[in-house]
Amino acid sequence: MIVTIDGVAASGKSSVSSGVAQALGVPYVSSGLLYRAVTLLGLEAGADLADPAALLPLLSGVRLEPLASGNRVWNDDHDLTADLHSTRVDGGVSTVAALPEIREWVDAQLRALPAPLVAEGRDMGTNVFPHAPHKFYLTASPRVRAERRARERPEDIPAIEAALTERDRQDTTQSAPAPDARIIDTGPLTLQGVIDTILNDLR
Ligand SMILES: Nc1ncnc2c1ncn2[C@@H]1O[C@H](COP(=O)(O)OP(=O)(O)OP(=O)(O)O)[C@@H](O)[C@H]1O
Ligand SMILES: Nc1ccn([C@H]2C[C@H](O)[C@@H](COP(=O)(O)O)O2)c(=O)n1
């Protein structure tokens, strides 16, 4: 069984997927972390983030560890996870995610993972796992998402909101909900409330 949980930036995809996966006793995978890892390695190498030929050779040692409590991304024996949610990576990741060659590489990593699993991102239900029987799409207003993010970041709410809105705009192409996804506005719900909504739907 595959459950897909897509949605806009900072809508709660990772936290909700982790909660749902733990309740089901299966792993979850965060596709965004792979795009973030490519971006981080590109930035560290001084590569042009719009040039797939410069990025692909950096990826031979990259591996996603799909722990239910929180995914980790490794480059050989170096754990990249703690550096993947910086403002610098946020600023470059949409450029990287727009490259078809990088999308193909990410998709291949994900499709190689054994089911059952919960997969979260932007195009899990539309492109990577279109035949998944259970699909969800999370939304919330930019202000609500920025207020939540502000608890984890040093920037103020208006700056976070502007950056989220810009990332939503840049990610529009791959972020449409699957026609058969259940759309959940997480704005009025607690994190546990969103997890329970999905678990009830699965039952
Ligand atoms: N329903 C909710 N109510 C309150 N806080 C929430 C809710 N859902 C998520 N959060 C909080 O919002 C923040 C963003 O959530 P999370 O990182 O899971 O989102 P995301 O969609 O995976 O983000 P990104 O797109 O940047 O990877 C976290 O601090 C999380 O605890
Ligand atoms: N399936 C996916 C997952 C992610 N992306 C892009 C879009 C985001 O800006 C970036 C980081 O993802 P996040 O951590 O915010 O989930 O990666 C994508 O295009 N497709």
Side-chain angles (χ1 to χ4, degrees), residues 15-47:
S15 318
V16 169
S17 298
S18 174
V20 169
Q22 289 189 63
L24 295 176
V26 304
Y28 86 95
V29 291
S30 169
S31 53
L33 282 188
L34 285 172
Y35 289 104
R36 288 174 178 277
V38 179
T39 307
L40 178 67
L41 292 174
L43 288 168
E44 285 179 345

mmCIF file of all heavy atoms in Angstrom, residues 15-47:
data_model
loop_
_atom_site.group_PDB
_atom_site.id
_atom_site.type_symbol
_atom_site.label_atom_id
_atom_site.label_comp_id
_atom_site.label_asym_id
_atom_site.label_seq_id
_atom_site.Cartn_x
_atom_site.Cartn_y
_atom_site.Cartn_z
ATOM 1 N N SER A 15 5.592 16.496 8.930
ATOM 2 C CA SER A 15 5.104 16.159 10.275
ATOM 3 C C SER A 15 3.900 15.232 10.188
ATOM 4 O O SER A 15 3.787 14.260 10.939
ATOM 5 C CB SER A 15 4.687 17.433 11.023
ATOM 6 O OG SER A 15 5.596 18.454 10.812
ATOM 7 N N VAL A 16 3.000 15.523 9.256
ATOM 8 C CA VAL A 16 1.796 14.699 9.117
ATOM 9 C C VAL A 16 2.175 13.310 8.595
ATOM 10 O O VAL A 16 1.698 12.288 9.119
ATOM 11 C CB VAL A 16 0.786 15.395 8.173
ATOM 12 C CG1 VAL A 16 -0.345 14.453 7.794
ATOM 13 C CG2 VAL A 16 0.254 16.672 8.815
ATOM 14 N N SER A 17 3.066 13.262 7.612
ATOM 15 C CA SER A 17 3.464 11.958 7.045
ATOM 16 C C SER A 17 4.134 11.105 8.099
ATOM 17 O O SER A 17 3.902 9.889 8.175
ATOM 18 C CB SER A 17 4.418 12.156 5.865
ATOM 19 O OG SER A 17 3.775 12.861 4.852
ATOM 20 N N SER A 18 4.973 11.721 8.913
ATOM 21 C CA SER A 18 5.651 10.978 9.975
ATOM 22 C C SER A 18 4.622 10.398 10.947
ATOM 23 O O SER A 18 4.696 9.220 11.318
ATOM 24 C CB SER A 18 6.629 11.907 10.694
ATOM 25 O OG SER A 18 7.188 11.258 11.797
ATOM 26 N N GLY A 19 3.626 11.207 11.332
ATOM 27 C CA GLY A 19 2.597 10.738 12.269
ATOM 28 C C GLY A 19 1.748 9.624 11.682
ATOM 29 O O GLY A 19 1.461 8.621 12.347
ATOM 30 N N VAL A 20 1.363 9.785 10.417
ATOM 31 C CA VAL A 20 0.546 8.757 9.757
ATOM 32 C C VAL A 20 1.360 7.468 9.610
ATOM 33 O O VAL A 20 0.884 6.370 9.900
ATOM 34 C CB VAL A 20 0.049 9.264 8.377
ATOM 35 C CG1 VAL A 20 -0.572 8.133 7.566
ATOM 36 C CG2 VAL A 20 -0.947 10.412 8.558
ATOM 37 N N ALA A 21 2.622 7.616 9.193
ATOM 38 C CA ALA A 21 3.465 6.431 8.977
ATOM 39 C C ALA A 21 3.689 5.688 10.299
ATOM 40 O O ALA A 21 3.640 4.448 10.332
ATOM 41 C CB ALA A 21 4.802 6.857 8.365
ATOM 42 N N GLN A 22 3.922 6.438 11.369
ATOM 43 C CA GLN A 22 4.148 5.767 12.656
ATOM 44 C C GLN A 22 2.895 5.033 13.113
ATOM 45 O O GLN A 22 2.967 3.920 13.637
ATOM 46 C CB GLN A 22 4.611 6.782 13.698
ATOM 47 C CG GLN A 22 6.029 7.260 13.409
ATOM 48 C CD GLN A 22 6.610 8.105 14.519
ATOM 49 O OE1 GLN A 22 6.788 7.637 15.632
ATOM 50 N NE2 GLN A 22 6.915 9.352 14.199
ATOM 51 N N ALA A 23 1.708 5.657 12.888
ATOM 52 C CA ALA A 23 0.459 4.987 13.276
ATOM 53 C C ALA A 23 0.239 3.717 12.452
ATOM 54 O O ALA A 23 -0.295 2.731 12.953
ATOM 55 C CB ALA A 23 -0.721 5.946 13.093
ATOM 56 N N LEU A 24 0.659 3.748 11.194
ATOM 57 C CA LEU A 24 0.462 2.578 10.326
ATOM 58 C C LEU A 24 1.591 1.555 10.481
ATOM 59 O O LEU A 24 1.484 0.437 9.970
ATOM 60 C CB LEU A 24 0.404 3.022 8.856
ATOM 61 C CG LEU A 24 -0.768 3.920 8.440
ATOM 62 C CD1 LEU A 24 -0.611 4.344 6.978
ATOM 63 C CD2 LEU A 24 -2.100 3.200 8.647
ATOM 64 N N GLY A 25 2.691 1.989 11.132
ATOM 65 C CA GLY A 25 3.838 1.087 11.278
ATOM 66 C C GLY A 25 4.592 0.870 9.976
ATOM 67 O O GLY A 25 5.127 -0.217 9.728
ATOM 68 N N VAL A 26 4.644 1.933 9.133
ATOM 69 C CA VAL A 26 5.376 1.825 7.857
ATOM 70 C C VAL A 26 6.333 3.024 7.765
ATOM 71 O O VAL A 26 6.171 4.012 8.490
ATOM 72 C CB VAL A 26 4.406 1.827 6.641
ATOM 73 C CG1 VAL A 26 3.377 0.715 6.780
ATOM 74 C CG2 VAL A 26 3.721 3.177 6.449
ATOM 75 N N PRO A 27 7.322 2.976 6.856
ATOM 76 C CA PRO A 27 8.208 4.132 6.684
ATOM 77 C C PRO A 27 7.515 5.254 5.902
ATOM 78 O O PRO A 27 6.532 4.998 5.201
ATOM 79 C CB PRO A 27 9.384 3.596 5.868
ATOM 80 C CG PRO A 27 9.114 2.171 5.605
ATOM 81 C CD PRO A 27 7.709 1.856 6.013
ATOM 82 N N TYR A 28 8.037 6.469 6.022
ATOM 83 C CA TYR A 28 7.598 7.522 5.111
ATOM 84 C C TYR A 28 8.829 8.074 4.412
ATOM 85 O O TYR A 28 9.948 7.947 4.928
ATOM 86 C CB TYR A 28 6.817 8.625 5.843
ATOM 87 C CG TYR A 28 7.647 9.723 6.447
ATOM 88 C CD1 TYR A 28 7.876 10.913 5.762
ATOM 89 C CD2 TYR A 28 8.199 9.590 7.710
ATOM 90 C CE1 TYR A 28 8.635 11.928 6.320
ATOM 91 C CE2 TYR A 28 8.954 10.588 8.274
ATOM 92 C CZ TYR A 28 9.177 11.753 7.568
ATOM 93 O OH TYR A 28 9.936 12.756 8.122
ATOM 94 N N VAL A 29 8.607 8.646 3.226
ATOM 95 C CA VAL A 29 9.730 9.233 2.495
ATOM 96 C C VAL A 29 9.405 10.673 2.131
ATOM 97 O O VAL A 29 8.307 10.980 1.670
ATOM 98 C CB VAL A 29 10.096 8.448 1.212
ATOM 99 C CG1 VAL A 29 10.694 7.113 1.572
ATOM 100 C CG2 VAL A 29 8.929 8.291 0.290
ATOM 101 N N SER A 30 10.391 11.538 2.371
ATOM 102 C CA SER A 30 10.243 12.953 2.064
ATOM 103 C C SER A 30 11.005 13.253 0.782
ATOM 104 O O SER A 30 12.238 13.333 0.784
ATOM 105 C CB SER A 30 10.798 13.802 3.208
ATOM 106 O OG SER A 30 10.887 15.146 2.794
ATOM 107 N N SER A 31 10.275 13.405 -0.332
ATOM 108 C CA SER A 31 10.950 13.669 -1.608
ATOM 109 C C SER A 31 11.632 15.030 -1.601
ATOM 110 O O SER A 31 12.685 15.215 -2.225
ATOM 111 C CB SER A 31 9.948 13.583 -2.753
ATOM 112 O OG SER A 31 8.833 14.409 -2.511
ATOM 113 N N GLY A 32 11.057 16.003 -0.870
ATOM 114 C CA GLY A 32 11.663 17.333 -0.819
ATOM 115 C C GLY A 32 13.075 17.301 -0.258
ATOM 116 O O GLY A 32 13.936 18.088 -0.665
ATOM 117 N N LEU A 33 13.337 16.361 0.647
ATOM 118 C CA LEU A 33 14.685 16.275 1.222
ATOM 119 C C LEU A 33 15.716 15.926 0.154
ATOM 120 O O LEU A 33 16.868 16.365 0.229
ATOM 121 C CB LEU A 33 14.736 15.227 2.338
ATOM 122 C CG LEU A 33 14.159 15.621 3.700
ATOM 123 C CD1 LEU A 33 14.487 14.533 4.719
ATOM 124 C CD2 LEU A 33 14.691 16.965 4.188
ATOM 125 N N LEU A 34 15.317 15.123 -0.831
ATOM 126 C CA LEU A 34 16.266 14.786 -1.893
ATOM 127 C C LEU A 34 16.569 16.014 -2.759
ATOM 128 O O LEU A 34 17.720 16.265 -3.110
ATOM 129 C CB LEU A 34 15.717 13.630 -2.744
ATOM 130 C CG LEU A 34 15.799 12.260 -2.069
ATOM 131 C CD1 LEU A 34 15.053 11.205 -2.887
ATOM 132 C CD2 LEU A 34 17.250 11.824 -1.868
ATOM 133 N N TYR A 35 15.510 16.803 -3.087
ATOM 134 C CA TYR A 35 15.775 18.039 -3.837
ATOM 135 C C TYR A 35 16.652 18.984 -3.008
ATOM 136 O O TYR A 35 17.530 19.665 -3.537
ATOM 137 C CB TYR A 35 14.455 18.724 -4.226
ATOM 138 C CG TYR A 35 13.699 17.969 -5.287
ATOM 139 C CD1 TYR A 35 12.580 17.202 -4.956
ATOM 140 C CD2 TYR A 35 14.121 17.979 -6.614
ATOM 141 C CE1 TYR A 35 11.895 16.486 -5.926
ATOM 142 C CE2 TYR A 35 13.443 17.261 -7.586
ATOM 143 C CZ TYR A 35 12.327 16.513 -7.237
ATOM 144 O OH TYR A 35 11.664 15.796 -8.199
ATOM 145 N N ARG A 36 16.396 18.999 -1.708
ATOM 146 C CA ARG A 36 17.208 19.863 -0.834
ATOM 147 C C ARG A 36 18.665 19.383 -0.789
ATOM 148 O O ARG A 36 19.598 20.189 -0.760
ATOM 149 C CB ARG A 36 16.606 19.881 0.577
ATOM 150 C CG ARG A 36 15.305 20.662 0.653
ATOM 151 C CD ARG A 36 14.637 20.552 2.022
ATOM 152 N NE ARG A 36 13.427 21.352 2.062
ATOM 153 C CZ ARG A 36 13.382 22.656 2.310
ATOM 154 N NH1 ARG A 36 14.501 23.310 2.580
ATOM 155 N NH2 ARG A 36 12.246 23.308 2.304
ATOM 156 N N ALA A 37 18.871 18.054 -0.768
ATOM 157 C CA ALA A 37 20.238 17.525 -0.724
ATOM 158 C C ALA A 37 21.003 17.885 -2.010
ATOM 159 O O ALA A 37 22.171 18.279 -1.950
ATOM 160 C CB ALA A 37 20.199 16.009 -0.538
ATOM 161 N N VAL A 38 20.330 17.781 -3.157
ATOM 162 C CA VAL A 38 20.989 18.158 -4.415
ATOM 163 C C VAL A 38 21.387 19.640 -4.353
ATOM 164 O O VAL A 38 22.494 20.031 -4.746
ATOM 165 C CB VAL A 38 20.052 17.915 -5.622
ATOM 166 C CG1 VAL A 38 20.742 18.323 -6.920
ATOM 167 C CG2 VAL A 38 19.590 16.458 -5.684
ATOM 168 N N THR A 39 20.474 20.457 -3.820
ATOM 169 C CA THR A 39 20.743 21.900 -3.739
ATOM 170 C C THR A 39 21.927 22.179 -2.830
ATOM 171 O O THR A 39 22.835 22.959 -3.179
ATOM 172 C CB THR A 39 19.483 22.619 -3.200
ATOM 173 O OG1 THR A 39 18.374 22.243 -4.006
ATOM 174 C CG2 THR A 39 19.658 24.135 -3.229
ATOM 175 N N LEU A 40 21.944 21.542 -1.653
ATOM 176 C CA LEU A 40 23.042 21.768 -0.710
ATOM 177 C C LEU A 40 24.384 21.368 -1.336
ATOM 178 O O LEU A 40 25.364 22.124 -1.259
ATOM 179 C CB LEU A 40 22.787 20.959 0.569
ATOM 180 C CG LEU A 40 23.890 21.057 1.624
ATOM 181 C CD1 LEU A 40 23.975 22.471 2.199
ATOM 182 C CD2 LEU A 40 23.661 20.048 2.748
ATOM 183 N N LEU A 41 24.411 20.186 -1.963
ATOM 184 C CA LEU A 41 25.676 19.730 -2.552
ATOM 185 C C LEU A 41 26.105 20.661 -3.694
ATOM 186 O O LEU A 41 27.288 20.947 -3.857
ATOM 187 C CB LEU A 41 25.537 18.285 -3.044
ATOM 188 C CG LEU A 41 25.353 17.255 -1.912
ATOM 189 C CD1 LEU A 41 25.087 15.869 -2.490
ATOM 190 C CD2 LEU A 41 26.566 17.223 -0.991
ATOM 191 N N GLY A 42 25.128 21.147 -4.459
ATOM 192 C CA GLY A 42 25.437 22.101 -5.528
ATOM 193 C C GLY A 42 26.018 23.396 -4.973
ATOM 194 O O GLY A 42 27.021 23.919 -5.467
ATOM 195 N N LEU A 43 25.396 23.903 -3.920
ATOM 196 C CA LEU A 43 25.888 25.149 -3.312
ATOM 197 C C LEU A 43 27.290 24.949 -2.747
ATOM 198 O O LEU A 43 28.181 25.790 -2.931
ATOM 199 C CB LEU A 43 24.938 25.587 -2.179
ATOM 200 C CG LEU A 43 23.578 26.135 -2.612
ATOM 201 C CD1 LEU A 43 22.639 26.255 -1.410
ATOM 202 C CD2 LEU A 43 23.747 27.509 -3.273
ATOM 203 N N GLU A 44 27.501 23.820 -2.072
ATOM 204 C CA GLU A 44 28.814 23.574 -1.460
ATOM 205 C C GLU A 44 29.914 23.420 -2.520
ATOM 206 O O GLU A 44 31.062 23.772 -2.280
ATOM 207 C CB GLU A 44 28.766 22.318 -0.572
ATOM 208 C CG GLU A 44 28.039 22.583 0.740
ATOM 209 C CD GLU A 44 27.964 21.346 1.628
ATOM 210 O OE1 GLU A 44 28.220 20.232 1.129
ATOM 211 O OE2 GLU A 44 27.635 21.527 2.820
ATOM 212 N N ALA A 45 29.522 22.892 -3.701
ATOM 213 C CA ALA A 45 30.504 22.701 -4.775
ATOM 214 C C ALA A 45 30.667 23.962 -5.624
ATOM 215 O O ALA A 45 31.486 23.988 -6.551
ATOM 216 C CB ALA A 45 30.067 21.535 -5.662
ATOM 217 N N GLY A 46 29.859 24.995 -5.345
ATOM 218 C CA GLY A 46 29.917 26.209 -6.161
ATOM 219 C C GLY A 46 29.367 25.977 -7.555
ATOM 220 O O GLY A 46 29.733 26.673 -8.511
ATOM 221 N N ALA A 47 28.487 24.990 -7.710
ATOM 222 C CA ALA A 47 27.944 24.649 -9.036
ATOM 223 C C ALA A 47 26.815 25.605 -9.423
ATOM 224 O O ALA A 47 26.191 26.230 -8.557
ATOM 225 C CB ALA A 47 27.427 23.211 -9.012
#
